[in-house]
Amino acid sequence: MKAKIFFLILSISFGVFAQEDAWVYFRDKPNSAAFFANPLSELTQRSLDRRTTQSIALDLRDAPLHQPYIDQITAATGITVLAKSKWLNMLHVRGTQTDIQALLGLAFVDHIQYANHSLNRRGSVVTNQQNLTYVDKWAGTNSVLVNYDYGNSATQIQMLNGHILHQNNFTGTGKVVAILDAGFPGVNTTAPFASLRNRGLILGGYDFVNNSNNFYTGYQHGTQVLSDMGGNATNLVGTAPDAGYYLFITEDINSETPLELTNWVEAAEEADRLGVDVINSSLGYFAFDNPAYSYTYARMNGQTSVASRAVDIAFSKGMICVVSAGNEGNNAEPHVGTPADATLAVTVGSVTSTRTRSGFSSIGPSADGRIKPDLMAMGSASVVATQTGAITTNNGTSFSGPILAGAITSFWSAFPNKTNAEIVQLVKASADRFNNPDNNYGYGIPNFQLALNNALGTEKFGFETINVFPNPANDEITFQLPLSNVNSELVFYNSLGQEVLRKTLKNTFQKFRLDNLSNGIYYYTLSSSDKVAKGKIVKN
């Protein structure tokens, strides 16, 4: 028995495999200049804004695949194109080995990676090493007190001090999450998700398995995962009840094939296009129906699997990927699978209500010796909602992952101008084993009270308590400053970095009009003689 989503299910093995799966990589993107001239042809404004906020430049991976290349592969004898990735500049194809190998005769094909490992030349896998720089940003906080009736779900939230975030009204507002899973039946009808539906926080989705816009179908695992993030019902409150959600089906419950890895990549790229902040995935892969495609532990190095490489690219685009560690801890092969092995994944293991590791929780290290899992949350007897709306419990890192992903989302909503790297570092630094990590618990169980305190302490280096309201604004906005920061220079910039407004703030409480600004997102810099603060407003 093997786990393909991280609670217990059975998979079917087949005896004969007539064709091979492979990833065909291209050499270039000849028409990329058209994309750079018009980035909105590929990415939404929200996606571009996320990059701007984190000082991330567009690069060649953002450009689309070259369509004539796709057309020639599609027309090739015996080849079926199943999926594609612009990030990796490749197609997932199926055909006989002879027909796939013939594609190397096309001048634009760089190399082929077979799902059957025995067919690959040693060292043929392309890696994606990122050289990233980040800029510190300032974000304000507010102090509205919100109390939730957590009921039976109190333990899984309070273990993380997630309720402290909620009490300060940091509940995911303004942040967007993509869930990559096996299906979401009941989300469109049952009571635990009514709060999300009624406020328009189910933003959309897609079924990559069946190429369908109907994502309220499939296996209910995704429904249960969503409930731990966005649910709001008697005895169950999610850790990010006010975030927006995209729901993507990438897992085919009826089989276990490498195509699901490429589905995962396609969904991650779509999440990027839409401007998602956090990706949650409770899916993991080790063994496949065709044994020749299965991974060994030695391949869990963060670079062999296309999904693991996509995690690192997603991070380079400003997103945080939270991935469940797996439920293999009691098995002969107890290590994390893919994409949990990704270098920049926040890989989450499971603990019980008493903060001890669940026996089933997969362990590290990765094959190349890195600490895994990264963090822990409650995955034993986690409270979830089913497709019928019933509130029950379930076991698995499938649930510790989204519980923590939602808490990270709510924490990030408190500091929306911080980079993904800053947020992950603050969360890790708050964990109870941060100074002594191991491969059973990673850095341990985060403490979001401590993370909040640490983040606020960092923010106080600049302007201690700046209130900007209303935000979003209509025609008027107010800046409230500490007395020590009067006579500060305020400059507004549009999304292209052009200065559009400049004011000197001479009072602690100052209003001014925005009539001359078009609707949209603006970034501001507030500077005094020795301090600089940055932020963002929305003009409606």
Side-chain angles (χ1 to χ4, degrees):
M1 184 164 62
K2 58 187 177 182
K4 62 169 149 185
I5 55 181
F6 290 139
F7 68 111
L8 300 181
I9 58 175
L10 296 177
S11 63
I12 302 172
S13 294
F14 300 92
V16 178
F17 301 89
Q19 295 190 311
E20 299 289 349
D21 278 32
W23 296 277
V24 179
Y25 292 84
F26 300 152
R27 294 185 184 278
D28 55 9
K29 294 181 176 180
N31 291 335
S32 58
F35 161 73
F36 288 113
N38 182 23
L40 285 171
S41 63
E42 264 311 287
L43 302 171
T44 63
Q45 186 61 54
R46 183 182 172 90
S47 183
L48 295 174
D49 291 342
R50 189 189 64 230
R51 288 163 166 78
T52 300
T53 299
Q54 300 186 53
S55 300
I56 297 170
L58 296 172
D59 62 34
L60 192 61
R61 290 173 303 195
D62 296 305
L65 289 160
H66 190 49
Q67 187 60 45
Y69 292 171
I70 300 174
D71 294 340
Q72 289 188 63
I73 298 290
T74 302
T77 301
I79 298 296
T80 302
V81 175
L82 299 177
K84 60 184 182 295
S85 167
K86 68 176 184 179
W87 283 353
L88 299 173
N89 201 19
M90 63 80 170
L91 300 180
H92 185 131
V93 304
R94 185 171 293 163
T96 66
Q97 183 185 353
T98 299
D99 289 336
I100 293 173
Q101 196 69 18
L103 299 176
L104 287 172
L106 299 171
F108 57 82
V109 172
D110 183 76
H111 70 282
I112 293 171
Q113 177 189 357
Y114 285 94
N116 185 335
H117 307 292
S118 68
L119 302 179
N120 292 318
R121 298 191 314 275
R122 188 182 300 272
S124 63
V125 176
V126 175
T127 62
N128 293 284
Q129 299 298 327
Q130 311 300 328
N131 294 312
L132 306 177
T133 57
Y134 298 94
V135 178
D136 289 342
K137 301 279 173 67
W138 177 90
T141 63
N142 66 57
S143 57
V144 178
L145 182 64
V146 177
N147 289 306
Y148 287 92
D149 182 10
Y150 297 110
N152 293 344
S153 66
T155 302
Q156 63 201 43
I157 295 176
Q158 292 172 356
M159 179 183 293
L160 303 172
N161 268 339
H163 63 295
I164 302 298
L165 296 174
H166 293 179
Q167 288 172 3
N168 285 279
N169 204 33
F170 303 137
T171 53
T173 302
K175 288 296 180 182
V176 177
V177 178
I179 298 178
L180 281 54
D181 217 286
F184 303 92
V187 170
N188 56 332
T189 58
T190 59
F193 305 101
S195 177
L196 293 179
R197 294 196 307 272
N198 294 341
R199 293 178 295 149
L201 293 177
I202 303 296
L203 304 177
Y206 192 75
D207 180 353
F208 288 88
V209 174
N210 297 299
N211 296 314
S212 167
N213 289 314
N214 179 18
F215 51 89
Y216 295 122
T217 185
Y219 187 58
Q220 67 163 321
H221 184 265
T223 303
Q224 297 185 31
V225 164
L226 174 62
S227 73
D228 277 337
M229 302 182 75
N232 195 346
T234 302
N235 284 323
L236 174 60
V237 175
T239 44
D242 294 326
Y245 292 91
Y246 286 101
L247 309 179
F248 295 134
I249 299 175
T250 65
E251 164 68 24
D252 185 349
I253 197 70
N254 297 310
S255 63
E256 192 81 313
T257 72
L259 179 58
E260 291 161 290
L261 296 174
T262 315
N263 290 343
W264 199 102
V265 178
E266 285 194 323
E269 291 181 10
E270 178 66 2
D272 174 40
R273 186 188 74 82
L274 293 164
V276 161
D277 302 295
V278 175
I279 291 174
N280 177 83
S281 177
S282 293
L283 305 173
Y285 302 89
F286 223 121
F288 292 103
D289 295 336
N290 184 342
Y293 295 171
S294 296
Y295 290 107
T296 61
Y297 172 52
R299 299 183 188 277
M300 294 302 170
N301 55 14
Q303 292 299 320
T304 299
S305 158
V306 293
S308 293
R309 283 151 44 206
V311 167
D312 288 357
I313 296 173
F315 193 88
S316 78
K317 304 302 177 187
M319 292 182 281
I320 295 174
C321 294
V322 181
V323 181
S324 296
N327 295 343
E328 309 304 313
N330 288 323
N331 294 347
E333 175 43 81
H335 294 97
V336 299
T338 182
D341 67 325
T343 302
L344 298 176
V346 177
T347 302
V348 185
S350 170
V351 295
T352 69
S353 61
T354 61
R355 303 173 69 94
T356 58
R357 176 181 158 268
S358 307
F360 57 74
S361 186
S362 293
I363 64 172
S366 63
D368 55 331
R370 288 173 287 110
I371 289 286
K372 288 291 175 180
D374 295 280
L375 296 166
M376 307 293 279
M378 184 172 156
S380 290
S382 302
V383 178
V384 301
T386 70
Q387 65 181 5
T388 66
I391 307 301
T392 184
T393 60
N394 211 334
N395 299 310
T397 59
S398 278
F399 310 112
S400 59
I403 289 168
L404 182 53
I408 289 172
T409 302
S410 290
F411 178 64
W412 204 356
S413 73
F415 305 99
N417 291 332
K418 284 193 177 296
T419 68
N420 57 348
E422 291 172 322
I423 292 297
V424 169
Q425 181 58 32
L426 283 162
V427 174
K428 284 185 177 180
S430 77
D432 59 359
R433 295 171 185 255
F434 180 68
N435 293 320
N436 188 30
D438 62 37
N439 287 300
N440 289 318
Y441 289 86
Y443 295 96
I445 301 169
N447 177 350
F448 282 92
Q449 171 74 81
L450 178 58
L452 190 62
N453 291 346
N454 289 341
L456 289 170
T458 301
E459 297 302 311
K460 288 178 182 178
F461 177 79
F463 291 81
E464 293 88 345
T465 52
I466 298 174
N467 293 313
V468 183
F469 55 92
N471 191 10
N474 291 317
D475 293 324
E476 187 176 76
I477 196 164
T478 299
F479 276 68
Q480 184 179 13
L481 310 179
L483 182 62
S484 62
N485 293 321
V486 297
N487 294 318
S488 296
E489 190 77 0
L490 176 68
V491 183
F492 276 61
Y493 301 89
N494 63 19
S495 59
L496 299 177
Q498 300 166 326
E499 181 179 328
V500 295
L501 182 68
R502 181 180 291 266
K503 294 280 186 180
T504 299
L505 304 188
K506 298 182 177 180
N507 304 305
T508 58
F509 192 87
Q510 187 160 338
K511 295 182 180 180
F512 55 92
R513 304 287 298 178
L514 301 176
D515 304 29
N516 294 328
L517 297 184
S518 302
N519 294 347
I521 295 175
Y522 295 89
Y523 302 88
Y524 65 81
T525 298
L526 188 61
S527 56
S528 66
S529 60
D530 62 343
K531 300 174 182 176
V532 176
K534 297 181 181 181
K536 179 173 66 176
I537 70 159
V538 178
K539 165 77 186 306
N540 289 330

